[in-house]
């Protein structure tokens, strides 16, 4: 019987049989919850490091990310060049560090556009229902029908070139998936008795929506955010690769990976290290999102 | 007994692993025997270890639980040390299992017949198609399903809850087992269906000589059906014996407490007097809070829902009129699908009726909208059946209780905090609970919070929709006492909705009986329970378990 396993520290007579179950305080401090999980600590460390790179790149990488030393081109990782150098003799590590600001900015904008517009549309559609839902979701379905990259291309052509425009374009392509997840969660939460109980308590619909529905529906959306964070990095870089975003020689993570692709056979480090950094950031974001979801 | 028992459990201990280092002992040394053809009931509240014991006997404890000691002998063989492969030869073949919830225990994408046939082929290997089909139809007929050939080709959603439970019993019977373990087989069913299913299990036992281990929280059911009752408390056997002995002269305090909590159809309404809740003497004066006028009058209510299956309309509420006495309780009885919850939602204005009128406090409120509707909600409140779903898991109890105060602009911040403490006190919870979240509370405590929330805005009418149905019998008794006390102290009126006639009996002044959206009987509680006017009410009353061994009820404290 699963009820047995509900940990509680009640003293009331009706649950006396469970009184010997170990009590767990919910008031555990955030810190203790975090520190008990080494993977989580590592994830926070990775994100903190990358944010620090974005703000003060000079502290972490002293070499010039733009002007290379031609004599040292395509040299393998060494104590001097941790991530090796590229075809123009530029230090890959320095380029990764200096590229983090632009990359983070672009992905954040992309994810924010997706989550704010998408989750907003989904929340309204799921809560208001009726004709509003029908119209909003038909529009979302049209967006889903167009391949994401094609949609981004169309948008960025209209907006003009530049990293932020690329980010906005990627974000718009993400709206549909956020809207659908948010709508389905809102529908699920909206059918629960405590939502009706809130209505029956006389609360205004806006209070019910923002105090009850939104906090309880956000879990899967947060998880999706971490996933989209990863795909956004890749989409932004894909558009950069096509020449819409960061122009060479500006360092940007996605551009670094795609630029190194031509030298994959001779200089594996040019793609591997930036790729590993992207993977580490995406995984860390994922882990943190899961932690936030559980709380 | 000269021959050894079929199943013999002795000194059984089962622990659940909570974390790497902690285990929680759910069963501490349980002993009982079942002889062939015997029906033994395991009785206890949630958390007493009765389901864990049943799962241990079935070898279905799962990853987290482990048998830590003791023995389970089935027909002379020790079960606790069996491997997976040996278990498969026993489980489903020699020991059948009937699960608790028929709604989720059948695969929704496969036909009933296929699912029963699978239970047979799993153990017998390849069986000729015709013989298999015939066997399935025989089984369905045996468990009392009409038109078995048609039913075997239907999917679970096309069957009612009672019929699904019969199909599950047919699955358990598929390989002619010697023992059937039934875990709360009728808890999710209506009282008349429950009686049919239990009658059927009884008949099968007599016909086929199958031993049955019945897990139930309902002493009434156990008393009516068992050869022996084993009472469990916190994983220990506190008492076991014949039902006459356990019900008439219980030796353990826990059994006496359980018995005292079982509501009786024959008892009178509970009243609050001189600081205790007691039964009203027959013919005694009505409680003084009750007045002759009605707080709520509904006339000619109708509501239809579109049936997605047939495309036609289902009349959920069909020309129903009710009146709730001011300061008193209107009890509403009916089985699932009788329209009682729809009616509750109409009178609380959460659903609009197709036709009819709702008058609250002499005012027509049928068409209120917006601000005035919210104002009405201050006076009419609702308590839901499931205390696990009616509280926001992210809100602390204090915040939940503040919500109606905030919504109606009652008091300022310190005044609201005081009111929360007052409300918690009113429903018998310590003020420190304001800091807790629902997950840290038991079902009964949550339901107290739900009642406190309903009372926060000082309503004159509270609608309780199956408010005690999800609770253990002793917790249920506490909540009923709480409701009676609150009514006496605040003079609030109730509409009390339940499928359980015995529960309704305890709190109601007037009763209405609903069936298929219609009101079939209405009257004072004393009249309806002593001289029911229609056959349906009589059938409902006859189906209430606990009739075979009535026990005297004491005054509760």
């Amino acid at each position: 019987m699963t009820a047995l396993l509900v940990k509680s520290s009640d003293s009331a007579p009706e649950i006396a049989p469970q009184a010997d179950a170990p009590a767990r305080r919910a008031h555990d401090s955030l810190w203790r919850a975090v520190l008990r999980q080494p993977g989580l600590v590592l994830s926070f460390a990775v994100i903190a490091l990358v944010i620090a790179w974005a703000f003060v790149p000079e502290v972490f990488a002293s070499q010039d990310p733009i002007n290379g030393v031609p004599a040292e081109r395509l040299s393998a990782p060494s104590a001097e060049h941790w991530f090796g150098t590229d075809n123009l003799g530029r230090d890959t590590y320095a380029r990764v560090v200096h590229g983090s600001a632009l990359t983070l900015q672009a992905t954040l904008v992309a994810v924010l556009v997706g989550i704010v517009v998408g989750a907003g549309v989904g929340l309204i559609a799921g809560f208001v229902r009726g004709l509003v839902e029908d119209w909003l979701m038909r529009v979302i379905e049209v967006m889903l029908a167009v391949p994401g990259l094609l949609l981004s291309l169309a948008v960025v052509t209209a907006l003009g070139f530049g990293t932020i425009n690329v980010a906005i374009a990627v974000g718009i392509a993400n709206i549909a998936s956020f809207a659908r997840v948010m709508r389905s969660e809102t529908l699920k939460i909206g059918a629960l008795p405590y939502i009706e109980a809130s209505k029956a308590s006389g609360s205004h619909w806006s209070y019910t929506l923002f105090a009850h529905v939104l906090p309880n529906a956000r879990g899967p959306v947060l998880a999706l955010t971490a996933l989209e964070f990863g795909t956004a990095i890749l989409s932004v870089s894909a558009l950069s690769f096509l020449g819409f975003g960061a122009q060479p020689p500006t360092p940007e993570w996605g551009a670094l990976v795609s630029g190194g692709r031509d030298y994959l056979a001779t200089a594996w480090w040019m793609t591997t290290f930036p790729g590993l950094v992207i993977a580490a950031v995406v995984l860390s974001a994922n882990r943190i999102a899961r932690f936030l979801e559980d709380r | 007994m000269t021959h050894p028992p079929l199943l013999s459990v002795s000194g059984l201990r089962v622990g659940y692993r909570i974390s790497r280092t902690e285990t929680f002992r759910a069963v501490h040394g349980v002993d009982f025997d079942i002889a062939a053809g015997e029906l033994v009931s395991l009785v206890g509240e949630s958390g007493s270890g009765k389901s864990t014991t049943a799962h241990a006997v079935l070898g279905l404890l799962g990853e987290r639980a482990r048998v830590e000691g003791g023995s389970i002998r089935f027909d002379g063989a020790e079960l606790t040390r069996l491997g997976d492969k040996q278990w498969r030869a026993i489980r489903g073949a020699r020991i059948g299992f009937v699960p608790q919830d028929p709604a989720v225990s059948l695969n929704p994408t496969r036909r009933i017949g296929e699912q029963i046939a699978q239970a047979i082929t799993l153990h017998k290997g390849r069986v000729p198609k015709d013989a298999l089909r015939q066997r399935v139809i025989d089984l369905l007929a045996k468990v009392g399903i009409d038109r078995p050939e048609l039913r075997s080709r239907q999917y679970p959603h096309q069957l009612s809850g009672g019929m699904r439970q019969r199909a599950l019993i047919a699955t358990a019977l598929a390989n002619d087992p010697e023992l059937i373990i039934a875990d709360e087989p009728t808890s999710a069913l209506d009282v008349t269906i429950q009686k049919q299913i239990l009658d059927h299990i009884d008949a099968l036992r007599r016909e086929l000589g199958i031993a049955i281990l019945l897990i139930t929280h309902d002493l009434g059911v156990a008393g009516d059906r068992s050869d022996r009752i084993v009472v469990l408390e916190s994983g220990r056997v506190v008492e076991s014996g014949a039902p006459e002995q356990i019900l008439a002269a219980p030796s353990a305090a826990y059994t006496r407490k359980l018995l005292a909590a079982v509501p009786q159809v024959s008892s009178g309404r509970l009243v609050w007097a001189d600081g205790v809740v007691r039964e009203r003497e027959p013919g005694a004066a009505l409680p003084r809070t009750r007045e002759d006028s009605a707080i709520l009058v509904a006339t000619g209510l109708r509501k239809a829902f579109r049936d997605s299956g047939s495309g036609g309309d289902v009349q959920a509420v069909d020309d129903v009129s009710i009146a709730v006495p001011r300061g008193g309780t209107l009890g509403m009885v009916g089985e699932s699908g009788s329209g009682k919850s729809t009616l509750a939602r109409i009178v609380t204005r959460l659903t609009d009726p197709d036709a009819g009128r709702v008058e609250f406090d002499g005012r027509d409120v049928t068409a209120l909208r917006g601000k005035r509707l919210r104002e009405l909600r201050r006076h009419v409140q609702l308590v839901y059946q499931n205390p696990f779903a009616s509280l926001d898991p992210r809100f602390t109890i204090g915040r939940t209780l503040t919500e109606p105060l905030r919504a109606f602009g009652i008091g300022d911040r310190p005044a609201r905090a005081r009111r929360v403490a007052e409300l918690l006190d009113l429903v018998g919870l310590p003020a420190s609970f304001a800091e807790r979240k629902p997950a840290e509370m038991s079902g009964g405590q949550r339901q107290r919070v739900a009642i406190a929330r309903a009372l926060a805005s000082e309503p004159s009418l509270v609608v309780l929709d199956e408010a005690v149905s999800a609770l253990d019998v002793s917790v249920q008794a506490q909540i009923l006492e709480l409701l009676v006390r609150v009514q006496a102290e605040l003079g609030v009126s109730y509409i009390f909705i339940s499928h359980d006639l015995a529960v309704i009996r305890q709190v109601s002044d007037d009763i209405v009986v609903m069936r298929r959206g219609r009101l079939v009987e209405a009257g004072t509680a004393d009249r309806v329970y002593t001289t029911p006017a229609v056959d349906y009410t009589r059938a409902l009353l006859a189906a209430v378990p606990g009739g075979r061994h009535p026990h005297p009820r004491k005054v509760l404290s």
Side-chain angles (χ1 to χ4, degrees), chain B residues 20 55 63 114 141 165-166 174 220 237 239 259 286 288 307 335 338 344 356 382 411 415 430 443 483 522 535 543 557:
Chain B
R20 252 170 245 158
H55 284 116
E63 300 270 302
E114 286 174 45
Q165 194 58 287
R166 283 168 196 264
V237 176
E239 184 162 9
L259 272 175
L286 290 167
R288 59 182 142 65
D307 178 14
E335 300 186 271
S338 62
L382 185 65
L483 289 172
D535 287 343
S557 61

Side-chain angles (χ1 to χ4, degrees), chain A residues 24-141:
Chain A
R24 189 175 71 175
R25 294 254 56 94
H27 313 299
D28 262 356
S29 73
L30 190 73
W31 281 114
R32 276 181 46 205
V34 171
L35 289 177
R36 242 185 276 132
Q37 307 172 61
L40 193 61
V41 177
L42 193 67
S43 302
F44 274 114
V46 167
I47 298 295
L49 179 69
V50 171
I51 290 172
W53 282 358
F55 281 100
V56 282
E58 312 80 32
V59 175
F60 295 93
S62 52
Q63 288 167 354
D64 191 335
I66 308 294
N67 301 306
V69 183
E72 288 174 5
R73 60 192 289 267
L74 297 178
S75 51
S78 62
E80 195 186 344
H81 302 291
W82 292 356
F83 290 1
T85 61
D86 66 4
N87 54 322
L88 297 174
R90 297 174 294 197
D91 181 56
T92 308
Y93 172 67
R95 285 181 68 74
V96 168
V97 171
H98 283 268
S100 56
L102 197 58
T103 307
L104 282 192
Q105 208 180 6
T107 28
L108 278 182
V109 169
V111 172
L112 274 181
V113 168
I115 200 170
V116 170
V117 181
V121 168
L123 193 63
I124 293 168
F127 194 70
V128 180
R129 312 294 306 274
L131 217 55
V132 177
E133 181 187 19
D134 286 346
W135 276 100
L136 286 175
M137 292 325 285
R138 291 307 85 78
V139 172
I140 294 297
E141 273 154 27

Side-chain angles (χ1 to χ4, degrees), chain A residues 10 14 196 198 203 207 212, chain B residues 345 392 403 406 436 478:
Chain A
D10 296 306
E14 62 202 46
E196 195 180 272
S198 166
S203 288
Y207 181 81
H212 290 288
Chain B
R345 293 170 51 83
D392 189 329
E403 185 174 346
R406 215 195 61 94
R436 291 203 181 185
Q478 291 171 16

Side-chain angles (χ1 to χ4, degrees), chain A residues 172-278:
Chain A
I172 288 175
N174 279 343
I175 287 175
S177 51
F178 277 110
R180 286 189 70 92
V181 171
M182 193 69 195
R183 170 176 163 272
S184 76
E185 275 306 297
T186 308
L187 287 178
K188 204 172 86 191
I189 302 290
L192 292 176
Y194 64 81
I195 300 303
E196 195 180 272
S198 166
K199 196 172 148 195
S201 293
S203 288
H204 195 259
W205 66 265
S206 59
Y207 181 81
T208 307
L209 182 61
F210 291 110
H212 290 288
V213 179
L214 187 58
N216 284 295
R218 73 181 176 202
V221 177
L222 276 182
L224 182 67
T225 306
L227 288 178
E228 292 293 343
F229 196 77
T231 48
I233 292 184
L234 301 178
S235 303
V236 168
S237 70
L239 288 175
S240 298
F241 177 68
L242 292 175
F244 291 102
Q247 298 302 317
T250 318
E252 197 269 338
W253 289 357
L256 288 180
V257 174
S258 51
R261 213 159 42 184
D262 301 337
Y263 300 90
L264 204 54
T266 51
W268 54 269
W269 54 87
M270 278 179 65
T271 44
T272 307
F273 286 108
L276 283 177
V277 170
I278 294 176

Side-chain angles (χ1 to χ4, degrees), chain B residues 263-265 267-270 329-334 340 464-469 476 480 483-484 494-514 523-526 528-529 540-541 544:
Chain B
Q264 296 272 302
V265 177
S267 77
R269 187 198 196 283
L270 298 177
T329 308
L330 174 72
M332 201 182 281
V333 194
K340 47 193 202 306
L464 300 133
D465 188 358
E466 300 272 11
V468 297
S469 311
Q476 175 177 304
L480 290 175
L483 289 172
V484 169
Y494 295 136
I495 296 181
F496 192 96
I497 299 174
S498 182
H499 65 279
D500 188 331
L501 283 125
V503 167
I504 290 245
R505 179 73 179 123
Q506 312 234 297
V507 290
S508 305
D509 300 304
D510 294 346
I511 302 264
V512 292
V513 181
M514 289 197 60
T524 64
D526 290 343
V528 171
Y529 279 88
L540 279 181
L541 280 168
V544 172

